[in-house]
Amino acid sequence: MTATIEPEVGKSRLRKEDERLITGRTRWTDNIVLPGMLHLAVLRSPMAHAKIVSLDVSAAKDSPGVVAVYTAKDLDPDGSIGMPCAWPITPDMKAPRRPVLADGQVNFAGEGIAVVVARSAAEAHDALEAIDVEYDELPVVLDMEAALAEGAPLVHEDLGTNKNAFWVFDSGEAGTGGSVEDAISSSEIVVKRRFRQQRLVPAFMEPRACVVDPTGAQLTMWSATQIPHILRVMTALTLGIPEHKLRVIAPDVGGGFGGKIGVLPEEMMTVLIAQKLGKPVKWNESRSETMVTAHHGRDQIQDITISANADGTVTGLKVELLADMGAYNGLVGPGVPILGAFMFNAIYKFPAYHFACTNVFTTTTITDAYRGAGRPEATFGVERIMDELADELGMDPMELREKNWIKHEEFPFTTVAGLTYDSGNYEAATAKAKELFDYDGLRREQAQRRESNDPVQLGIGISTFTEMCGLAPSRVLGSLDYGAGGWEYASMRMLPTGKVEVTSGASAHGQGHETAWSQIVADQLGVPFEDVEILHGDTQSSHKGMDTYGSRSLVVGGVAVIKAAEKVIAKAKPIAAHMLECAEDDLEFAGGKFTVKGTDSSTTLQDVALAVFAAHDLPDGIEPSLDSDATFDPENFSFPHGTHLCAAEVDTETGSIKLRSYVCVDDVGVAVNPLIVEGQVHGGLAQGIAQALFEEAVHDESGTLTTGTFADYLLPSAADLPSFTTARTETPSTTNPLGAKGVGEAGTIASTPAVVNAVIDAVRHFGVNDIEMPLTPMRVWHAVQHGTTDAGGAGSEAGGGLGSIDTSGGAQ
Amino acid sequence: MRITVTVDGTKYTDEVEPRTLLVHYLRERVGKVGTVVGCDTSNCGACTVHLDGHSVKSCSVLAVQADGSEVTTVEGLARDGQLHPVQKAFRDNHALQCGFCTPGMIMASIDLLADNPDPDEKAVREGLEGNLCRCTGYQNIVRAVRDAAHHMSPGAGPEAEQIKHVGVGGE
């Protein structure tokens, strides 16, 4: 019955989660073994686009250990089941049905065609060999621009087009700013570039898996998912299962990065088969399956035009995107570019803005959310174009940023995209980053190396960024046609012994919720950190929620925990007053104790909990319970920001890149647990740097993913990455009572442009102004040899004054 | 085929198919689900265990090859309720997030330290090249391994003895 005095929030607490994770006592979905459990294996199409002429599963049915083999017609005879898309971004968005198994036609290499159920996973996989499929090949559609051309082969013939949707925001029309066309025609300089966001694989370490047990009162589904609550709702709606007969559990989940947001055909088939057979069934994918069938991320072509005055004041920004959806709509895939629409103006006071996005179907794996979802793409675009503009103006790129960014005293600030940034201090973060980085010293060294024609050139890359976190305001999400709300839920139970059980609707997959939430609860209730247990990821204990993505857990879910705690205290107060024989108004609560003001008469919250349990002497009309539940739906997003600086050494003779130093100062508002914040930043940096330098999902001309294993897809190892210097400034968010802003995606968002800007900066004097990601030694060497502008050469944009520059295209 | 393997100090005799991989044997027959499968190309290292004292990717070893051998998994590291110093260093240095790569990373780190008791940052990074992590950016893993090295150096106390114990296969 001790009360903590020193605040827990702000402490670098070691994680509660780690004990089980370091000792191998973790509960992964693939660890779940149930009596009589059967195993699934899915036959996947080697073709990217083909009619299925015939499909003979009879030999597979006779294979050893096989219990059943199903095709689309067996699992869904009516052809009525389609994977859901929760984000129909326009009323006329095309929504082709994505069946559980390919129904007469395959539309990407890896699409499931048949599923074998056997006594062991090995027997199920063996039997796949015995399935005979005859295909009639259709032309593949792999390039977004070709897909939109007149007469292009169609991914879905019945749609009559490969265009999924067209979405536009214009500041002139929205009344948030001026007309971009006016800005472009009247500005002194106009720069236009085309950037490509290559396709990436989220590459969480734990492959996806699903176990379904139909033998209980409820159908229980374990899944390696980020979204157990959404999955429950969507499974109920998709398969017509009464929601109250369905329990979804996300046990320990081995990473997600957005890649485990989805309602999977495999999850639906596991449910359907478990129901048909009346037995527990497990689907567990191999890494090779993950690579082709778990959704990919990014994959955009960005045509960006920026206009400015000769002094560097930006007058307008025009963004035209092509975004590859793959063969079908993902759960939130069509909305991913739109999240970016609000971030292209970044930290800047651009007076005019136009954003237009065309989503395109191709015969490839679907794309959907991947760490940052839309915001890394936008930040890359704007931070690259700012460097290009600085170069054309002959300005230091930092000076250009400082000239255009929102000043500390101007917050709250409503941007040209219509968002109101609550707080920020770009000056403070930048000053700290420059000092840690030795910005001026490195600039001097860069000049010396250029002068001496050093074969190893030095480049400095800047990325100043903000992002919108805390994906709630349900009303805002609704205005963007997102299908669900963004609130988050928590409940709290004071146990008779004074311990506290808390449930959260935000279900973690490595972020450390159990630790951070415990810190919050300890402060709110004044109970020891160790006395708090956080339960999540099970729709039975945490019966509602919106799950974890978009750096929303802490700033929405963490605040819901605060709201639940406030209710516990409010319920305890009249009981405490009764126990202390005083009026409620005479009581104050602090450090876990109710004290009669001005006296030393007090009782602890735990004492009240025990009194409630006994219920021998409660005030009249008071129910014997301190339990509470609460939701939080903030009125605005939160806006973390930061300044990232990268120094890259580029060997001009080999094209190889060495990251010499990487400094970032992130402002995540109040850091509940600085240790976790730092870890999140490190991991984010690794992913963003990997996009810049290493990773790319590549399809060959037949539509086969040639980077379909970890042997071909270059996930960086420890030896491929440098050490990072991280620091923080702290400008509390004003949109939530924690003052927290979110951190999960910051490192990924900021680091990709920092690294690319550094490399371009190192070799710009060779005439290079773009190199396509990933910056492989071959691409860098080629750019140094030829200069990028040689290969550009599209027409120029109208503009007056200093002239206009157009290097769309790029060398690679 | 009939094999006898000592896993985390307990002897098991089982009939296995010749094609059974050690990782599947450990997970499905012995119940050592602390060792996990992250890929099917031996690239990720999530399934790393010790076979007769040296780290191996248990997805690249057949169960029959382990016949007569000693296997140590992450579940066999803690002794008498005490975490192995490398496990402790991973926790103390926040060297894990989702934790899926962690058992393999810990097993690889122990073997790395057995070979080189005082590795510098470069040696740790290169030594762990065969184990992939998607969450941490590796920085805290490197820190943890070097921290563990410090705690296990000669004269550092009983923890230093523990590494030897595991390093030779847990006999």
Side-chain angles (χ1 to χ4, degrees):
Chain A
M1 298 286 170
T2 54
T4 50
I5 303 299
E6 192 188 340
E8 280 287 342
V9 168
K11 259 192 208 172
S12 284
R13 273 276 187 192
L14 295 181
R15 296 199 321 170
K16 286 186 166 182
E17 292 85 344
D18 291 357
E19 181 77 20
R20 64 179 189 271
L21 297 169
I22 57 177
T23 53
R25 296 201 317 274
T26 321
R27 200 162 209 222
W28 310 112
T29 301
D30 188 32
N31 293 1
I32 289 163
V33 177
L34 300 169
M37 190 174 77
L38 300 169
H39 298 262
L40 300 186
V42 181
L43 181 74
R44 300 193 178 277
S45 170
M47 301 278 180
H49 204 202
K51 297 274 184 201
I52 298 171
V53 179
S54 68
L55 176 54
D56 182 359
V57 300
S58 53
K61 284 182 175 167
D62 295 334
S63 295
V66 170
V67 173
V69 183
Y70 298 105
T71 64
K73 294 200 167 25
D74 306 314
L75 285 187
D76 179 21
D78 308 336
S80 60
I81 299 173
M83 293 308 110
C85 172
W87 205 335
I89 58 171
T90 60
D92 62 349
M93 184 185 86
K94 299 289 185 289
R97 182 174 78 96
R98 183 183 188 186
V100 176
L101 288 166
D103 196 359
Q105 180 171 321
V106 290
N107 295 312
F108 69 94
E111 187 162 9
I113 292 175
V115 55
V116 173
V117 190
R119 286 195 304 257
S120 74
E123 287 169 326
H125 283 279
D126 284 349
L128 295 180
E129 305 280 332
I131 299 175
D132 194 22
V133 193
E134 197 184 328
Y135 301 94
D136 185 3
E137 210 168 340
L138 295 168
V140 296
V141 187
L142 302 171
D143 176 89
M144 285 189 273
E145 288 182 302
L148 294 174
E150 192 75 30
L154 297 173
V155 181
H156 305 280
E157 192 73 39
D158 55 332
L159 298 182
T161 177
N162 289 321
K163 190 192 284 189
N164 158 269
F166 177 73
W167 193 94
V168 66
F169 175 88
D170 186 279
S171 64
E173 286 170 20
T176 55
S179 152
V180 162
E181 298 307 331
D182 289 352
I184 288 171
S185 60
S186 64
S187 294
E188 291 168 306
I189 186 164
V190 178
V191 178
K192 183 174 180 185
R193 293 284 189 274
R194 163 169 283 201
F195 301 126
R196 191 168 159 264
Q197 284 282 324
Q198 79 271 34
R199 180 178 276 247
L200 299 178
V201 176
F204 35 77
M205 293 311 296
E206 179 208 22
R208 300 169 308 166
C210 180
V211 174
V212 175
D213 181 4
T215 62
Q218 286 180 313
L219 186 137
T220 306
M221 177 184 197
W222 290 262
S223 182
T225 181
Q226 288 177 234
I227 54 164
H229 297 91
I230 294 172
L231 180 59
R232 183 195 196 195
V233 177
M234 289 296 171
T235 302
L237 293 172
T238 303
L239 300 181
I241 297 173
E243 194 180 344
H244 64 299
K245 293 292 182 188
L246 185 58
R247 173 185 180 188
V248 176
I249 302 170
D252 286 311
V253 176
F257 315 110
K260 285 176 180 166
I261 291 175
V263 176
L264 311 179
E266 293 85 357
E267 287 166 333
M268 297 305 106
M269 79 175 65
T270 310
V271 172
L272 290 169
I273 291 169
Q275 284 181 316
K276 276 180 184 295
L277 298 175
K279 288 184 175 173
V281 176
K282 178 189 281 186
W283 166 71
N284 188 46
E285 72 184 350
S286 68
R287 176 60 55 180
S288 306
E289 284 180 285
T290 313
M291 299 297 277
V292 292
T293 64
H295 70 246
H296 296 165
R298 313 284 190 259
D299 210 346
Q300 293 183 355
I301 295 170
Q302 309 174 329
D303 287 306
I304 303 180
T305 309
I306 194 165
S307 59
N309 294 328
D311 70 352
T313 306
V314 175
T315 55
L317 183 76
K318 180 178 172 182
V319 177
E320 292 164 290
L321 287 190
L322 291 178
D324 195 342
M325 297 292 105
Y328 304 99
N329 293 324
L331 186 65
V332 298
V336 167
I338 292 174
L339 287 169
F342 297 96
M343 285 286 111
F344 264 100
N345 60 291
I347 64 168
Y348 306 114
K349 294 182 286 185
F350 295 160
Y353 174 53
H354 178 90
F355 172 95
C357 176
T358 305
N359 290 349
V360 185
F361 288 124
T362 59
T363 51
T364 60
T365 303
I366 67 163
T367 65
D368 207 314
Y370 170 49
R371 200 168 190 170
R375 293 154 290 167
E377 296 92 320
T379 303
F380 182 87
V382 69
E383 288 303 283
R384 283 287 299 115
I385 202 78
M386 288 297 274
D387 263 33
E388 295 306 303
L389 176 61
D391 179 59
E392 299 295 351
L393 289 164
M395 278 177 85
D396 183 282
M398 187 62 94
E399 190 189 336
L400 178 69
R401 285 170 172 82
E402 288 169 359
K403 191 169 194 70
N404 286 282
W405 73 31
I406 303 156
K407 306 281 187 294
H408 179 47
E409 62 273 13
E410 292 175 292
F411 289 92
F413 183 89
T414 300
T415 74
V416 74
L419 291 180
T420 299
Y421 295 172
D422 60 332
S423 69
N425 188 339
Y426 309 143
E427 295 94 327
T430 301
K432 197 166 185 176
K434 281 172 80 170
E435 189 191 332
L436 289 167
F437 187 69
D438 187 20
Y439 187 82
D440 297 333
L442 285 165
R443 281 280 182 224
R444 281 194 296 276
E445 185 187 329
Q446 177 183 38
Q448 284 159 7
R449 286 195 189 218
R450 275 197 192 175
E451 204 168 312
S452 66
N453 274 330
D454 194 321
V456 179
Q457 291 289 312
L458 180 67
I460 294 168
I462 303 166
S463 171
T464 48
F465 82 103
T466 187
E467 57 164 325
M468 52 182 197
C469 285
L471 291 188
S474 297
R475 280 181 300 185
V476 177
L477 296 178
S479 73
L480 296 172
D481 299 307
Y482 180 60
W487 49 264
E488 196 45 86
Y489 167 80
S491 75
M492 203 166 284
R493 294 191 288 274
M494 287 294 302
L495 302 178
T497 53
K499 311 294 182 189
V500 190
E501 278 180 350
V502 179
T503 72
S504 171
S507 179
H509 39 283
Q511 295 92 339
H513 290 15
E514 291 163 41
T515 304
W517 277 219
S518 295
Q519 290 178 267
I520 292 169
V521 173
D523 278 0
Q524 292 296 315
L525 298 185
V527 298
F529 170 82
E530 295 78 12
D531 283 0
V532 185
E533 189 69 23
I534 307 297
L535 307 170
H536 60 88
D538 182 344
T539 61
Q540 191 167 76
S541 56
S542 165
H543 69 267
K544 61 182 173 180
M546 286 293 182
D547 308 315
T548 286
Y549 51 88
S551 291
R552 65 187 302 279
S553 290
L554 183 64
V555 294
V556 191
V559 176
V561 169
I562 292 179
K563 301 286 175 194
E566 286 169 351
K567 289 185 179 178
V568 168
I569 295 163
K571 286 178 92 168
K573 200 170 186 181
I575 302 166
H578 182 73
M579 288 163 69
L580 295 169
E581 296 177 338
C582 68
E584 271 188 68
D585 288 349
D586 292 339
L587 281 182
E588 56 189 9
F589 182 77
K593 274 199 298 197
F594 289 98
T595 306
V596 183
K597 288 174 197 165
T599 75
D600 58 1
S601 171
S602 69
T603 185
T604 66
L605 186 61
Q606 285 99 330
D607 289 338
V608 178
L610 189 62
V612 165
F613 172 70
H616 295 163
D617 182 22
L618 298 182
D620 290 342
I622 294 276
E623 62 170 337
S625 165
L626 295 183
D627 296 355
S628 77
D629 64 357
T631 52
F632 179 62
D633 195 353
E635 289 182 3
N636 193 2
F637 302 101
S638 60
F639 298 93
H641 68 84
T643 298
H644 289 222
L645 298 171
C646 175
E649 291 180 352
V650 179
D651 188 327
T652 58
E653 292 172 349
T654 65
S656 70
I657 296 165
K658 182 184 165 209
L659 298 188
R660 183 161 125 188
S661 69
Y662 194 102
V663 170
C664 63
V665 177
D666 284 280
D667 194 323
V668 300
V670 173
V672 170
N673 185 322
L675 190 71
I676 292 177
V677 167
E678 190 191 18
Q680 288 278 321
V681 171
H682 288 170
L685 294 178
Q687 267 174 298
I689 291 169
Q691 173 171 12
L693 300 182
F694 305 121
E695 296 183 24
E696 182 173 26
V698 180
H699 293 92
D700 69 13
E701 60 192 18
S702 71
T704 302
L705 186 70
T706 58
T707 50
T709 69
F710 279 166
D712 313 299
Y713 186 86
L714 184 51
L715 212 61
S717 77
D720 298 315
L721 293 168
S723 277
F724 314 116
T725 302
T726 61
R728 286 187 294 113
T729 54
E730 190 168 301
T731 313
S733 173
T734 62
T735 63
N736 68 70
L738 262 178
K741 294 183 172 179
V743 67
E745 294 152 313
T748 310
I749 290 171
S751 58
T752 312
V755 171
V756 175
N757 278 340
V759 173
I760 302 283
D761 186 52
V763 297
R764 194 181 279 285
H765 58 295
F766 291 95
V768 178
N769 62 25
D770 190 29
I771 306 171
E772 212 167 83
M773 294 187 290
L775 308 183
T776 59
M778 176 63 91
R779 284 176 174 167
V780 174
W781 181 84
H782 188 273
V784 169
Q785 295 301 309
H786 301 285
T788 309
T789 46
D790 293 346
S796 42
E797 191 79 13
L802 293 176
S804 77
I805 300 95
D806 182 340
T807 54
S808 30
Q812 307 298 327
Chain B
M1 295 176 72
R2 192 176 182 81
I3 61 168
T4 298
V5 188
T6 302
V7 182
D8 297 335
T10 303
K11 193 176 274 191
Y12 298 85
T13 299
D14 280 298
E15 286 290 330
V16 297
E17 276 190 75
R19 66 169 172 174
T20 303
L21 298 174
L22 179 58
V23 65
H24 291 132
Y25 173 72
L26 291 172
R27 286 181 57 81
E28 291 158 22
R29 299 294 287 278
V30 186
K32 295 284 183 182
V33 292
T35 302
V36 295
V37 183
C39 73
D40 38 49
T41 48
S42 301
N43 287 88
C44 80
C47 65
T48 304
V49 300
H50 290 182
L51 182 63
D52 292 330
H54 293 288
S55 69
V56 295
K57 292 179 178 179
S58 60
C59 72
S60 59
V61 177
L62 294 166
V64 293
Q65 289 176 285
D67 185 27
S69 293
E70 304 244 2
V71 174
T72 306
T73 78
V74 72
E75 291 166 72
L77 289 181
R79 296 293 160 99
D80 306 322
Q82 293 290 307
L83 293 175
H84 186 278
V86 173
Q87 287 175 305
K88 186 169 179 301
F90 268 64
R91 187 188 62 191
D92 291 350
N93 291 278
H94 186 35
L96 61 148
Q97 288 178 31
C98 83
F100 195 78
C101 75
T102 306
M105 201 65 86
I106 287 172
M107 300 312 287
S109 299
I110 291 171
D111 196 28
L112 166 70
L113 290 172
D115 281 347
N116 180 357
D118 186 21
D120 62 13
E121 178 181 336
K122 189 164 182 283
V124 176
R125 287 186 179 276
E126 287 174 358
L128 294 178
E129 204 169 10
N131 289 68
L132 297 175
C133 169
R134 190 58 154 176
C135 295
T136 63
Y138 301 104
Q139 187 152 331
N140 288 350
I141 292 175
V142 174
R143 196 184 292 171
V145 174
R146 300 191 69 201
D147 182 39
H150 173 72
H151 284 287
M152 296 189 306
S153 58
E159 285 179 342
E161 293 305 308
Q162 208 180 338
I163 180 66
K164 277 202 287 186
H165 194 62
V166 172
V168 295
E171 79 274 28

